[in-house]
């Protein structure tokens, strides 16, 4: 049995068993909701056939039947809230196949080598991470196009066709890594589409995501008191079901990850070790770029339009100065992964704007107070402005302290300079005279003889 074609990867049986446990939680909740209705049906059928007659049975029918109707209505309300709740989706930059045919070709070839379904789409995130995200909810995806020429699906409704999850790739990986490194890094992630296609695992994931979305909907603060009271019961039921399936869902995801990692060992396993070293370097460079370079620009209403190119330039310079970077020149000679995009500059700009919106809270569109800045204009438009803003704040403090301006500043055509600050810092302030030491009479001569000074601690 081949390694890639075998369905016995480590963790797969456990993941399916945990998925069945999650589905049993759903089945038990459904059984509890239908139990009063079943009892009411039995009582009504027994009364109509003459088997359950008498005052006691009549009282039971009068109590159980309204209770069954009430429970069914509550269960239908909870099911409606769960079904209509929109699961959260990570903000990403979608990559169409027309704009990155080589990237899609590489991912599909990787999926074929792993023997798993290919992801349905590819998106980029401004973070150092990669994962598969299920976006099969009707609120997340547009309706299926009508112009597909698929003869095999002609005459059949396409809305019931299962869709593979979306592959989300961290944009720093795409710019910093080489093509072979990115393929090795994505192998365990793409291998996760195999377990995701299993019906039990997919159903369990949809159930848990629906419960999580329902809890978020019922906890929204921007609702009226009546709506909040109505949704409170549905929220309690959703939290109860989510609590009952949380452990099984977590173990299911661990099993899925173990199965994907075991399957991915057949593809570029040795190169994956080298790629993991580049992950740490990319994360360190990305974090430093955001906090030291991008954040000052964001606070001024400007956002760097080429963040990924900036982290590559910074890491390249850092690696060239590092004596431990063996074989770095040969690595730079390989094809970078961003070459898999048709227009890497436009994608980098879109990713940089998304990073500013996620990490700083900036608007999603550019405007007069929120515009991009190139790296060539960064020193003048960000660094110089920041220094001048800090200098103006410092001079306002000196004005409040009544510090006179320096002689050079009166002749400076560009406004305040550092001369006033340096003069103020280099001048010794006039301190008040120190108090005279306390004099304590001598113990042997209290009448006016010798006196000694006592130092006060």
């Amino acid at each position: 049995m081949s390694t890639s074609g075998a369905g016995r990867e480590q963790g797969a049986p456990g993941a399916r068993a945990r998925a069945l446990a999650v589905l049993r939680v759903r089945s038990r909740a459904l059984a509890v909701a239908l139990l009063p209705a079943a009892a009411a049906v039995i009582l009504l059928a027994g009364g109509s056939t003459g088997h359950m007659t008498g005052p006691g049975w009549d009282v039971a029918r009068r109590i159980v039947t309204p209770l069954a109707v009430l429970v069914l209505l509550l269960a239908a309300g909870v099911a409606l809230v769960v079904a209509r709740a929109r699961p959260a989706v990570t903000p990403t930059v979608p990559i169409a196949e027309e704009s990155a045919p080589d990237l899609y070709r590489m991912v599909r070839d990787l999926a074929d080598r792993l023997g798993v379904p290919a992801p349905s789409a590819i998106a980029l995130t401004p973070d150092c991470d990669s994962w598969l995200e299920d976006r099969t909810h009707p609120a997340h995806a547009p309706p299926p196009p009508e112009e597909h020429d698929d003869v095999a699906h002609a005459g059949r409704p396409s809305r019931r066709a299962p869709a593979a999850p979306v592959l989300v790739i961290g944009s720093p990986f795409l710019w910093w890594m080489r093509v072979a490194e990115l393929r090795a890094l994505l192998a365990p992630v793409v291998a996760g589409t195999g377990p995701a296609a299993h019906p039990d695992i997919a159903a369990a994931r949809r159930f848990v995501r629906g419960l999580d979305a329902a809890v978020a909907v019922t906890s929204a603060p921007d609702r009226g008191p009546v709506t909040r009271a109505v949704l409170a019961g549905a929220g309690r039921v959703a939290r109860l079901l989510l609590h009952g399936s949380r452990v099984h869902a977590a173990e299911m995801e661990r099993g899925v990850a173990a199965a994907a990692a075991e399957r991915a060992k057949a593809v570029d396993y040795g190169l994956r070790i080298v790629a993991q070293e580049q992950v740490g370097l990319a994360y360190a460079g990305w974090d430093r770029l955001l906090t030291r370079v991008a954040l000052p620009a964001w606070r001024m209403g400007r956002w760097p339009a080429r963040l990924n190119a900036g982290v590559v330039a910074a890491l390249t310079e850092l690696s060239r100065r590092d004596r431990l970077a063996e074989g770095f020149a040969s690595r730079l000679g390989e094809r970078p992964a961003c070459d898999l995009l048709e227009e890497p500059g436009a994608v980098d700009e879109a990713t940089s704007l998304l990073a500013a919106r996620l990490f700083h809270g900036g608007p999603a569109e550019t405007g007069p107070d929120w515009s991009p800045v190139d790296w060539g204009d960064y020193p003048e438009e960000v660094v110089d402005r920041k220094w001048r803003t800090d200098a103006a704040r410092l001079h306002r403090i000196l004005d409040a302290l009544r510090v006179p301006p320096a002689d050079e500043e009166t002749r400076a055509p560009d406004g305040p300079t550092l001369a006033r600050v340096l003069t103020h810092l280099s001048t010794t302030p006039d301190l008040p005279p120190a108090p005279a030491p306390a004099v304590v009479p001598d113990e042997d001569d209290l009448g006016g003889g010798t006196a000694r000074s006592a130092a006060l601690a």
Side-chain angles (χ1 to χ4, degrees):
M1 184 177 295
S2 63
T3 305
S4 61
R8 306 296 300 174
E9 295 91 345
Q10 180 182 1
R16 293 165 186 168
R18 292 292 183 171
L20 291 176
V22 173
L23 295 179
R24 280 196 294 270
V25 174
R26 183 184 66 178
S27 301
R28 290 166 186 165
L30 182 61
V32 170
L34 295 178
L35 185 60
V41 170
I42 293 175
L43 291 175
L44 292 176
S48 63
T49 57
H51 290 82
M52 298 180 180
T53 58
W57 292 109
D58 294 338
V59 172
R61 275 188 287 270
R62 293 191 187 97
I63 296 176
V64 174
T65 301
L67 179 63
V69 173
L70 179 61
V71 172
L72 286 178
L73 290 178
L74 293 177
V78 173
L80 183 62
V81 171
V82 174
R84 292 179 60 88
R86 181 173 181 173
V89 176
T90 306
T92 54
V93 176
I95 303 297
E97 187 173 359
E98 295 78 12
S99 61
D102 294 340
L103 181 60
Y104 273 82
R105 191 178 302 112
M106 184 199 73
V107 173
R108 286 170 181 165
D109 177 70
L110 183 61
D112 291 339
R113 293 176 61 184
L114 293 171
V116 297
S120 59
I122 299 177
L124 296 185
T125 177
D127 200 357
C128 293
D129 197 3
S130 298
W131 66 89
L132 292 172
E133 187 165 291
D134 184 12
R135 298 183 179 179
T136 57
H137 194 273
H140 296 155
E146 302 289 341
E147 62 272 12
H148 279 314
D149 299 328
D150 196 351
V151 180
H153 294 82
R156 281 188 271 171
S158 57
R159 62 184 181 89
R160 301 299 296 177
V166 176
L167 175 61
V168 182
I169 305 175
S171 60
F173 298 158
L174 201 63
W175 262 260
W176 173 242
M177 292 187 173
R178 310 295 104 177
V179 174
E181 294 172 349
L182 181 65
R183 183 175 60 246
L185 186 69
L186 294 180
V189 184
V190 176
T193 58
H198 194 273
D200 295 334
I201 295 178
R205 283 178 168 176
R206 285 195 301 268
F207 176 64
V208 174
R209 284 168 56 86
L211 292 178
D212 186 69
V215 171
V217 168
T218 55
S219 302
D222 54 344
R223 297 184 181 277
V226 179
T227 306
R228 196 182 305 116
V230 171
L231 294 177
R236 292 190 184 94
V237 174
R239 288 187 183 90
L240 181 62
L241 296 177
L242 192 61
H243 179 74
S245 58
R246 181 178 301 166
V247 176
H248 300 299
E251 293 298 329
M252 178 188 69
E253 296 300 336
R254 289 193 186 96
V256 168
E262 184 70 19
R263 181 182 286 266
K265 287 182 178 180
V267 179
D268 300 332
Y269 184 72
L271 188 59
R272 194 171 306 130
I273 300 176
V274 180
Q276 289 295 336
E277 297 177 356
Q278 302 302 323
V279 168
L281 188 61
Y283 182 84
W286 181 252
D287 180 71
R288 190 173 183 86
L289 183 74
L290 292 182
T291 55
R292 298 294 184 88
V293 179
L295 185 58
W298 294 339
R299 290 173 176 173
M300 295 181 182
R302 309 298 300 272
W303 53 276
R306 299 291 188 271
L307 280 179
N308 295 284
V311 73
V312 169
L315 290 177
T316 301
E317 181 64 24
L318 178 63
S319 300
R320 281 174 177 169
R321 292 182 299 174
D322 188 3
R323 296 180 180 179
L324 300 178
E326 300 179 358
F328 181 73
S330 60
R331 179 184 178 276
L332 286 182
E334 300 176 4
R335 185 186 182 190
C338 61
D339 282 355
L340 300 174
L341 304 174
E342 291 293 322
E343 297 181 359
V347 177
D348 193 1
E349 185 173 352
T351 309
S352 301
L353 180 58
L354 179 60
R357 183 164 64 91
L358 294 179
F359 301 137
H360 183 66
E365 301 293 336
T366 59
D369 299 330
W370 186 249
S371 57
V373 57
D374 294 329
W375 290 122
D377 302 330
Y378 184 87
E380 181 180 356
E381 297 192 16
V382 178
V383 178
D384 186 69
R385 284 180 55 190
K386 184 177 184 300
W387 286 354
R388 291 184 180 277
T389 302
D390 295 340
R393 186 182 300 111
L394 185 57
H395 277 277
R396 287 196 297 268
I397 296 175
L398 294 179
D399 292 338
L401 295 176
R402 301 181 183 275
V403 177
D407 296 337
E408 292 84 349
E409 289 190 351
T410 57
R411 300 187 298 269
D414 296 333
T417 62
L418 289 177
R420 183 186 185 189
V421 180
L422 295 177
T423 302
H424 175 67
L425 295 178
S426 60
T427 302
T428 303
D430 296 334
L431 298 177
V439 178
V440 180
D442 197 343
E443 298 174 354
D444 299 331
D445 190 6
L446 296 177
T450 308
R452 66 181 178 180
S453 61
L456 301 178

